[in-house]
Amino acid sequence: MKRDFQAPGRSPVFAREAAVATSHPLATSAALETLQAGGNAVDAAIAAVAVQCVVEPHMTGIGGDCFAIVMEPDGRLTGFNGSGAAPRAATPQKLAELGVEEITDTSPHSVTVPGAVRAWETLLKAHGTRGFQSLFTRAIRYAHEGFPVAPRVARDWAGDVDKLRADPVTAAHYLVKGEAPKAGTILKYPHLAETLEKIAEGGADAFYSGDIAEDIVAALRSRGGLMTLDDLAACHTTAVSPVMRDYKGHTVAELPPNGQGIIALVMLGILERFDLENLDPLGAERFHLEMEAARLAYAVRDRFVTDPGHMDVCHSHLIGSAYLDRLAAQVSPEKRLAAIPQSGLAPQTDTVYLSVVDKDGLAVSFINSLFTDFGSGIVAPESGVLLHSRGKSFRAAPGHPNSIDGGKRPMHTIIPAMMLKDGAPYLSFGVMGGQYQACGHAHLLTNIVDYGMDVQAAIDFPRMFFDMDSHDLQAERLVPASTLDGLRALGHKVVPADGPIGGAQAIMIDRARKMLIAGSDPRKDGHAAGY
């Protein structure tokens, strides 16, 4: 049942040659500049994310991780896993000796090796046409000469003041007289500018060895961390084959674990077993099915998804038809599951996202993250590198597939994605929002496939997610009161979300009209453009 969801507000961007969608106008501008100077989609993505690492420091940075999927014009896909591993010395036994029972986001043990810079270089070598020296120009200029803080960035920043104040070095770098900067404040990061210049000159090795690496290790060791220079030097990016699964005539491509992309496919596999397209997209029945599918799928994630070398099952078993039938059979359209039965889970056998499609049809779906706002809150003082908190996903105790171990990659929430139609490129997309991302992929795609929304309407459409501990539903403010009442009647506890749930960017490739259609998320100051 297709409906017209076009409403006053932001319209999608139509372009004939190339399109960009990012979460910041300055990043979109950098990408367009790169494309118009003859660079391709991968070049433009690196130029954009380098800018974001300066102007959106709460969301991303060179001290974080990166995942990407590159799609050739003929539909061939290559995935890149740019996540880093735990220090070799980081084992459950070692953490127990140190008295660590839980890895918090501000712990030095939450810092795994930052994989982003190595991933950028690997992507450029495989698919790019430019080097860091030309692609970092704007990022370096903003860090040296200053940039204005965007309104949305200022709003988010204000909520993180206590975290930043907790560390004197971090406070000195990211607070202005002890407070978050206001919108329009001009900020400069001279230490980060010099670090970007060193990487532009010396490549990724300049980050993983020498002065920058020594600064990172010293910052972590001074706080009780276990990172060594050898851990940083061992960083590598893995080329992987995306995992593909059909959804109602479309082929969805996600990266395999250690990311949670497989869980988006599990959700879609559950939902396709229900008559979703004939439900009101804003109604209680639709959101009930989506949230029940999410609760089941995330239980699967938390039980199985980790570094693939440590998984109990092959990820392909999690999207097999028989297993999805078993999961879907647990969902009742009439009432909420009181609890997720762990015995039924075993099969039988803050972040920035951007997308670029260039004039030749090369597309990149790209995500770069610090995990939590301002990551670990630990800054390497001389280099200005803000370090992520991805190791927070590890369990400190032994006996779980996602228990910490030396050289092991943690379960990751950040997931770029692609979709094909009739075997041809159709959609490059991704969702921001930490844990929400797998659910966000399913929500965005069902908006497009089941309800016929254009990319901007699908991004704008109200969202819902569940609290990972209580399983209470959190609803954005535009979800109708009647829907909330209907969900409560089905047994859900529903509370208002504190703010927007996640964010998204997407570019649709309309082959029939030879058109690119880009959407971006106004709730995250997203910005799309093309020519």
Side-chain angles (χ1 to χ4, degrees), residues 117-118 121 132 197-208 212:
V117 175
R118 183 69 74 193
E121 186 174 78
F132 285 160
E197 287 174 336
K198 290 177 181 178
I199 299 169
E201 179 67 28
D205 285 346
F207 181 87
Y208 294 100
I212 300 171

Side-chain angles (χ1 to χ4, degrees), residues 318-344:
L318 302 178
I319 54 172
S321 293
Y323 182 55
L324 293 170
D325 284 342
R326 286 173 51 203
L327 292 177
Q330 298 181 52
V331 177
S332 166
E334 280 78 38
K335 64 179 180 179
R336 173 188 183 272
L337 268 170
I340 303 298
Q342 295 293 312
S343 60

Side-chain angles (χ1 to χ4, degrees), residues 59-269:
M59 299 290 284
T60 196
I62 60 174
D65 279 343
C66 168
F67 290 81
I69 302 175
V70 176
M71 181 159 55
E72 305 281 355
D74 61 4
R76 286 179 297 160
L77 299 165
T78 306
F80 295 86
N81 181 331
S83 62
R88 284 288 173 185
T91 64
Q93 295 74 23
K94 182 63 177 178
L95 265 58
E97 289 176 17
L98 297 172
V100 177
E101 297 180 357
E102 180 183 1
I103 303 172
T104 65
D105 64 346
T106 55
S107 165
H109 307 297
S110 74
V111 183
T112 51
V113 172
V117 175
R118 183 69 74 193
W120 300 355
E121 186 174 78
T122 303
L123 270 164
L124 288 173
K125 287 179 178 178
H127 295 282
T129 67
R130 302 286 195 272
F132 285 160
Q133 281 192 309
S134 64
L135 299 178
F136 282 11
T137 301
R138 271 198 180 226
I140 291 169
R141 187 167 77 243
Y142 290 140
H144 260 313
E145 300 176 9
F147 65 93
V149 175
R152 174 71 207 196
V153 174
R155 175 184 167 183
D156 290 345
W157 209 314
D160 296 311
V161 170
D162 289 343
K163 180 176 185 176
L164 299 173
R165 283 176 180 160
D167 187 295
V169 175
T170 306
H173 277 77
Y174 287 105
L175 294 178
V176 179
K177 296 180 180 179
E179 301 295 337
K182 306 296 185 186
T185 301
I186 304 299
L187 295 182
K188 299 177 182 180
Y189 291 113
H191 292 288
L192 182 58
E194 291 174 7
T195 293
L196 289 169
E197 287 174 336
K198 290 177 181 178
I199 299 169
E201 179 67 28
D205 285 346
F207 181 87
Y208 294 100
S209 61
D211 293 346
I212 300 171
E214 290 170 4
D215 189 40
I216 291 171
V217 168
L220 292 171
R221 304 288 288 199
S222 70
R223 293 165 173 80
L226 301 170
M227 189 80 70
T228 68
L229 291 173
D230 287 343
D231 291 323
L232 288 172
C235 181
H236 64 282
T237 296
T238 306
V240 295
S241 296
V243 182
M244 313 240 273
R245 193 179 187 284
D246 285 346
Y247 181 73
K248 300 184 178 180
H250 302 74
T251 303
V252 184
E254 299 273 0
L255 292 183
N258 53 315
Q260 65 169 337
I262 193 79
I263 299 308
L265 300 181
V266 172
M267 273 195 69
L268 289 168

Side-chain angles (χ1 to χ4, degrees), residues 445-495:
L445 292 185
T446 54
N447 284 342
I448 292 171
V449 175
D450 290 290
Y451 301 117
M453 299 183 200
D454 67 41
V455 290
Q456 189 61 55
I459 288 169
D460 289 345
F461 207 72
R463 303 175 188 134
M464 193 175 288
F465 195 43
F466 68 94
D467 182 274
M468 301 298 289
D469 296 318
S470 68
H471 282 215
D472 294 348
L473 302 189
Q474 300 167 338
E476 289 186 334
R477 64 180 179 85
L478 293 180
V479 178
S482 59
T483 297
L484 304 183
D485 290 341
L487 288 166
R488 293 182 182 110
L490 291 167
H492 297 278
K493 181 178 179 181
V494 189
V495 298

Side-chain angles (χ1 to χ4, degrees), residues 32-39 130 531:
L32 276 180
E33 182 180 70
T34 301
L35 291 169
Q36 291 172 330
R130 302 286 195 272
Y531 63 90

Side-chain angles (χ1 to χ4, degrees), residues 256-473:
N258 53 315
Q260 65 169 337
I262 193 79
I263 299 308
L265 300 181
V266 172
M267 273 195 69
L268 289 168
I270 295 171
L271 291 172
E272 74 179 353
R273 285 154 169 76
F274 296 90
D275 192 19
L276 206 65
E277 63 271 19
N278 287 318
L279 299 177
D280 179 355
L282 263 179
E285 295 85 354
R286 185 263 176 110
F287 278 111
H288 167 70
L289 291 175
E290 187 175 293
M291 291 299 98
E292 292 294 270
R295 293 173 65 218
L296 282 165
Y298 277 73
V300 172
R301 184 198 74 170
D302 293 345
R303 171 62 182 85
F304 296 111
V305 175
T306 184
D307 186 314
H310 297 260
M311 283 182 64
D312 293 344
V313 300
C314 176
H315 64 260
S316 63
H317 293 163
L318 302 178
I319 54 172
S321 293
Y323 182 55
L324 293 170
D325 284 342
R326 286 173 51 203
L327 292 177
Q330 298 181 52
V331 177
S332 166
E334 280 78 38
K335 64 179 180 179
R336 173 188 183 272
L337 268 170
I340 303 298
Q342 295 293 312
S343 60
L345 293 180
Q348 297 295 338
T349 57
D350 276 82
T351 299
V352 296
Y353 171 81
L354 62 91
S355 181
V356 185
V357 180
D358 66 26
K359 61 181 177 58
D360 296 317
L362 185 71
V364 59
S365 182
F366 188 104
I367 199 158
N368 209 91
S369 176
L370 294 172
F371 190 26
T372 51
D373 283 6
F374 290 99
S376 63
I378 298 172
V379 177
E382 300 303 319
S383 61
V385 176
L386 177 63
L387 297 163
H388 66 169
S389 56
R390 187 54 59 177
K392 182 180 185 291
S393 294
F394 277 130
R395 306 287 180 93
H400 188 276
N402 205 35
S403 295
I404 194 168
D405 204 1
K408 181 179 179 180
R409 288 168 160 167
M411 187 276 290
H412 258 267
T413 58
I414 60 174
I415 47 173
M418 295 282 190
M419 186 160 70
L420 297 89
K421 188 174 183 180
D422 300 324
Y426 183 62
L427 189 72
S428 176
F429 72 99
V431 172
M432 303 170 286
Q435 310 283 2
Y436 174 69
Q437 290 180 45
C439 182
H441 282 205
H443 185 67
L444 182 72
L445 292 185
T446 54
N447 284 342
I448 292 171
V449 175
D450 290 290
Y451 301 117
M453 299 183 200
D454 67 41
V455 290
Q456 189 61 55
I459 288 169
D460 289 345
F461 207 72
R463 303 175 188 134
M464 193 175 288
F465 195 43
F466 68 94
D467 182 274
M468 301 298 289
D469 296 318
S470 68
H471 282 215
D472 294 348
L473 302 189

